[in-house]
Amino acid sequence: MTTRHHLPVAHEHSIDGPLLSRTDGARAGACAEAEEDERLLQVGDIAKATGKTVRAIHHYEEVGLLRPHARSKGRYRLYDHAALTRVRWIGKLHDLGLSLSQIQQIVSTWESSSSAPGAMSRIRDVYQQKLEEVREQIAHLENLEHELVASLAYLDTCETCDPAELVAACTHCNLHDKSKAEPELVAGIRGGNGQCRQGSNHR
């Protein structure tokens, strides 16, 4: 009598793990999609994380600076986390003095460039110019800082003045060191008269 050998029948497990039915596969796909939606951000999330208004986020999309990654089942715009970087980037360029139209031009130049080095070179030119402008602003602010420090030091001496002294006496005050120039932030209060005069009642 001939012996017959039967191959084992695979039921619910394969070599690598359990086999999925069509229903299980669809459920897994739906779960994966739901998990992706949870990782995506709504416009309110972007606004809160960046300090921008919802209207500003919508405006960035209207002018082509921002694109939603997807839409929810309720048709709400959904953004990936790269959108946070883009919105913060727009904010930094605003801080550097660039208008929205100039930022649009940067994006347009980038997207239309035929080569990566060419695109990077144009961006570098913009940033180099802004760096020079920022350094000029820093130097200007440092000068103002020194002027304010000198003015405060000058005004600190005024605290020793007789409370009964009239304002007119400030034009010939002897409390201050005459060898030092009067700060312009102080001299300007009196119409630019920065010369200390004799004749004050201060001794």
Side-chain angles (χ1 to χ4, degrees):
M1 186 174 184
T2 305
T3 302
R4 296 182 180 180
H5 298 281
H6 297 279
L7 294 176
V9 177
H11 296 287
E12 295 184 356
H13 293 79
S14 65
I15 296 176
D16 295 327
L19 293 174
L20 296 177
S21 66
R22 292 183 179 179
T23 303
D24 292 335
R27 187 180 298 112
C31 290
E33 183 178 351
E35 289 177 359
E36 182 181 4
D37 286 349
E38 288 180 0
R39 291 193 297 268
L40 295 176
L41 304 169
Q42 293 188 12
V43 64
D45 300 322
I46 299 288
K48 182 178 180 181
T50 61
K52 300 292 184 180
T53 64
V54 171
R55 180 70 189 94
I57 304 300
H58 286 319
H59 186 57
Y60 295 158
E61 183 180 342
E62 290 169 3
V63 299
L65 293 176
L66 191 67
R67 298 183 181 90
H69 180 78
R71 286 186 180 271
S72 68
K73 292 181 179 179
R75 302 302 296 165
Y76 290 106
R77 297 176 177 87
L78 297 176
Y79 301 86
D80 58 18
H81 284 264
L84 288 174
T85 302
R86 170 56 70 91
V87 174
R88 291 190 179 111
W89 174 75
I90 294 171
K92 289 180 184 296
L93 292 186
H94 273 314
D95 291 342
L96 288 171
L98 290 171
S99 65
L100 200 59
S101 61
Q102 290 174 314
I103 298 174
Q104 286 178 277
Q105 183 60 45
I106 291 176
V107 173
S108 176
T109 299
W110 167 267
E111 293 178 344
S112 63
S113 294
S114 58
S115 69
M120 287 297 189
S121 178
R122 294 184 180 184
I123 298 299
R124 187 185 185 283
D125 290 341
V126 173
Y127 289 175
Q128 181 64 46
Q129 179 183 351
K130 286 301 171 183
L131 176 60
E132 294 171 1
E133 293 177 4
V134 166
R135 285 175 172 169
E136 290 177 358
Q137 292 173 359
I138 291 173
H140 177 65
L141 290 174
E142 286 178 344
N143 288 333
L144 288 176
E145 178 190 18
H146 295 154
E147 180 79 10
L148 284 168
V149 170
S151 298
L152 288 170
Y154 185 95
L155 294 171
D156 285 343
T157 304
C158 297
E159 294 181 355
T160 64
C161 182
D162 183 355
E165 190 68 81
L166 297 178
V167 173
C170 290
T171 60
H172 49 269
C173 180
N174 290 325
L175 286 177
H176 299 282
D177 185 354
K178 298 182 181 60
S179 66
K180 295 181 179 179
E182 189 177 32
E184 291 185 353
L185 284 176
V186 177
I189 298 174
R190 298 192 296 270
N193 184 1
Q195 298 296 324
C196 290
R197 300 179 181 178
Q198 302 295 327
S200 171
N201 293 329
H202 292 299
R203 294 289 182 257

